[in-house]
Amino acid sequence: MSLFKRLFTTLRAGSISSDEWDQIRNMLIASDLGVKLVDEVIEKVKSIKPDDAVLAITTHVKGWLSSKNRKLLNSESLNTVLIVGINGTGKTTSTAKLANKLTMSGNKVLLAAADTFRAAATEQLQTWAQRISTEIVTGEINSDPASVAFSAVTKAKTENFKYLLVDTAGRLHTKQDLMDELSKVVRVISKQSPVDEILLVIDATTGQNGINQAKIFMEAVGVTGFIITKLDGSAKGGIALAIEKQTGLPIKFVGTGEQISDLDEFDPEAYIAGLFD
Ligand code: GDP
């Protein structure tokens, strides 16, 4: 994770040759920070005295993080959270992990399995729901995901649930189909209760590609934050910084493994400290 260690170790050792600058640049690019941000850091370092570099870069990089609220909405009435993302990113697992976290803190949580295009997705969420003793609304295979969402929000409101977590489909025939389907789910829920959060799940191991996915989803639905998964499997610490800088949206949770408890709130201070360790 120690993204900037090599840079500062080399700086401390004295003047840096152009070969060494190339190596540092390549290493930072390989950590998924993205070429533009890497060049920004290097320009900044070159413009200041080596003794001031750590403080200057820490401050500079902190400025890349989103200033938006990282806490999940927690209002007295129903809080509806849509979990969106491409298949395989860890959407269903993250939905279950979040349900578990909220249930463990004493909230009444309802799950909705609105990825009706894959039987396995519904079965997977049902298995998790059973394990964590959480109620779940499901639909027939290939039924309209918006109708599952409609039934779920109706139940959530009439039975006074505090959180409704809706797992959505991640692959349809075309990108346009997927985005239309998601917009429809949002519309149908909103008629009964506002959609408070739309969390986009991004797999940390997909690197810069994750940022492209974010931009597509952000255009289609009002994403309010990210869940970055598989951080346990990625030695490349740059992706979190790059995502926040390029989208302006906050990472709310990070997935750190396959177990139900492997979901943490994102801690920006600890993350930045880790990059400079
Ligand atoms: P979905 O298609 O987006 O719903 O993805 P799934 O929830 O089915 O997850 C796909 C795979 O990623 C599964 O094998 C999960 O156990 C795994 N997975 C999800 N989150 C994490 C994580 O934070 N770390 C690791 N190592 N694996 C994860």
Side-chain angles (χ1 to χ4, degrees):
M1 261 287 215
S2 189
L3 189 63
F4 296 113
K5 188 173 177 181
R6 172 75 188 275
L7 171 61
F8 294 126
T9 311
T10 317
L11 268 181
R12 269 195 293 274
S15 67
I16 303 184
S17 68
S18 69
D19 269 2
E20 279 169 325
W21 275 122
D22 284 347
Q23 283 171 23
I24 289 170
R25 186 171 182 271
N26 289 338
M27 197 207 75
L28 288 174
I29 290 172
S31 74
D32 280 339
L33 202 52
V35 174
K36 203 164 149 266
L37 296 188
V38 169
D39 287 342
E40 199 176 311
V41 166
I42 289 180
E43 282 309 304
K44 180 92 191 161
V45 173
K46 283 181 173 174
S47 73
I48 49 182
K49 284 189 283 181
D51 284 351
D52 299 338
V54 173
L55 184 61
I57 297 300
T58 310
T59 311
H60 190 73
V61 157
K62 270 189 185 163
W64 288 349
L65 292 174
S66 171
S67 53
K68 297 212 165 101
N69 186 10
R70 290 178 194 282
K71 292 271 172 216
L72 194 68
L73 197 81
N74 179 15
S75 77
E76 283 308 309
S77 53
L78 175 65
N79 297 278
T80 299
V81 184
L82 232 63
I83 318 283
V84 304
I86 302 289
N87 281 350
T89 52
K91 207 162 15 75
T92 305
T93 312
S94 299
T95 308
K97 287 176 179 177
L98 186 56
N100 181 56
K101 204 177 195 47
L102 292 167
T103 307
M104 300 279 275
S105 345
N107 297 291
K108 192 175 173 191
V109 180
L110 180 63
L111 285 166
D115 182 358
T116 50
F117 303 108
R118 286 188 307 158
T122 298
E123 283 162 19
Q124 193 186 337
L125 199 60
Q126 267 174 322
T127 307
W128 281 119
Q130 227 165 27
R131 239 185 266 173
I132 61 176
S133 304
T134 303
E135 283 196 66
I136 182 168
V137 174
T138 60
E140 295 293 316
I141 178 86
N142 288 327
S143 63
D144 184 355
S147 79
V148 176
F150 180 85
S151 309
V153 70
T154 309
K155 180 178 168 72
K157 279 184 71 181
T158 43
E159 297 178 29
N160 291 321
F161 280 85
K162 176 83 183 283
Y163 282 94
L164 168 61
L165 307 186
V166 185
D167 185 25
T168 59
R171 174 167 298 156
L172 293 179
H173 293 303
T174 69
K175 202 163 67 190
Q176 193 57 47
D177 286 345
L178 173 58
M179 298 306 155
D180 290 349
E181 195 61 62
L182 280 177
S183 311
K184 186 175 169 194
V185 168
V186 172
R187 269 198 317 277
V188 164
I189 295 175
S190 304
K191 279 186 189 153
Q192 294 202 60
S193 183
V195 174
D196 302 290
E197 296 262 11
I198 301 183
L199 299 181
L200 174 60
V201 179
I202 291 183
D203 176 342
T205 64
T206 60
Q208 292 288 307
N209 195 21
I211 295 175
N212 298 334
Q213 286 169 23
K215 290 183 174 159
I216 294 169
F217 277 90
M218 283 167 68
E219 274 173 31
V221 287
V223 174
T224 57
F226 302 110
I227 300 178
I228 308 293
T229 57
K230 310 185 194 181
L231 268 187
D232 51 310
S234 167
K236 306 174 172 186
I239 193 67
L241 262 183
I243 282 182
E244 293 214 353
K245 161 79 170 143
Q246 298 206 23
T247 63
L249 293 174
I251 296 168
K252 299 211 170 188
F253 298 96
V254 293
T256 54
E258 297 191 76
Q259 302 304 315
I260 192 77
S261 57
D262 294 335
L263 185 79
D264 296 323
E265 286 182 355
F266 181 63
D267 178 347
E269 295 294 329
Y271 171 73
I272 295 281
L275 297 181
F276 291 89
D277 191 6

